[in-house]
Amino acid sequence: SGTVKLELQNDEGKTQISQIYTKGGMIGYQALFSDEHYLSSAVAVEPTELCFIPKSTVMELVSKNPGLALQFLKQLSDDFRSMETRLQRLSSSSAIERIAEALLFLRENFQEKNWTRKEIAEWAGTTTETVIRTLADFEASGLIEQKGRVITILKRSALLEKAHIEV
């Protein structure tokens, strides 16, 4: 239960959120199968309960159950496709587009969580200052409403346009 974000930190200390997990998500299995250290840090963003399964147990289950191995392969493939898409959007979209997309993604996938401006920036791959200015512009344009950390999307279709996302 709860919500966990995975973050990567560069040599200069800048943090980037690489993934967000909720109930039922699997964290760390990529490193398990590659036999490498996990590059991200997991941070609980709300009270969270996790279930740890030892590597030996997972490997035994996979070796005895080819269907489970295929499920792991499918999950790895889905995660890889998602990360490719996200990387492409991060490298080719403007900060305004990425912030609009971040607002839509975070609100639609995590309705109960009120994300900080810093977390929105870390997800969108920009600075907190840029997020604050862009949110103020979105609010002045009537796209969103801000009350503290609570951001309400008023004009979803206009935000989709800002993000250059076709419905």
Side-chain angles (χ1 to χ4, degrees), residues 61-128:
L61 288 169
V62 166
S63 69
K64 292 179 180 178
N65 186 344
L68 180 61
L70 288 174
Q71 284 186 310
F72 274 114
L73 281 173
K74 182 183 181 329
Q75 186 65 51
L76 279 167
S77 297
D78 291 347
D79 288 350
F80 185 70
R81 183 180 56 251
S82 173
M83 292 302 272
E84 279 182 319
T85 302
R86 187 159 148 62
L87 178 62
Q88 187 275 329
R89 293 228 9 110
L90 282 172
S91 64
S92 65
S93 300
S94 71
I96 291 170
E97 292 168 334
R98 295 191 315 268
I99 293 165
E101 181 182 9
L103 286 178
L104 291 161
F105 174 81
L106 295 170
R107 182 54 54 216
E108 290 172 8
N109 291 283
F110 309 97
Q111 297 92 0
E112 303 301 315
K113 173 82 174 105
N114 293 315
W115 299 91
T116 66
R117 291 356 179 222
K118 182 176 186 271
E119 289 170 324
I120 294 168
E122 290 170 352
W123 182 255
T126 190
T127 65
T128 304

Side-chain angles (χ1 to χ4, degrees), residues 4-6 20-22 24-30 38 42 50-51:
V4 173
K5 64 181 178 177
L6 293 185
I20 301 171
Y21 294 95
T22 57
M26 291 188 296
I27 301 171
Y29 68 96
Q30 299 95 331
Y38 206 73
L50 301 172
C51 174

Side-chain angles (χ1 to χ4, degrees), residues 8-41:
L8 295 163
Q9 197 170 64
N10 68 16
D11 294 337
E12 298 157 7
K14 184 178 179 192
T15 300
Q16 174 80 47
I17 297 175
S18 61
Q19 191 62 271
I20 301 171
Y21 294 95
T22 57
K23 181 179 179 178
M26 291 188 296
I27 301 171
Y29 68 96
Q30 299 95 331
L32 175 91
F33 291 115
S34 69
D35 224 8
E36 295 177 358
H37 292 287
Y38 206 73
L39 299 176
S40 300
S41 296

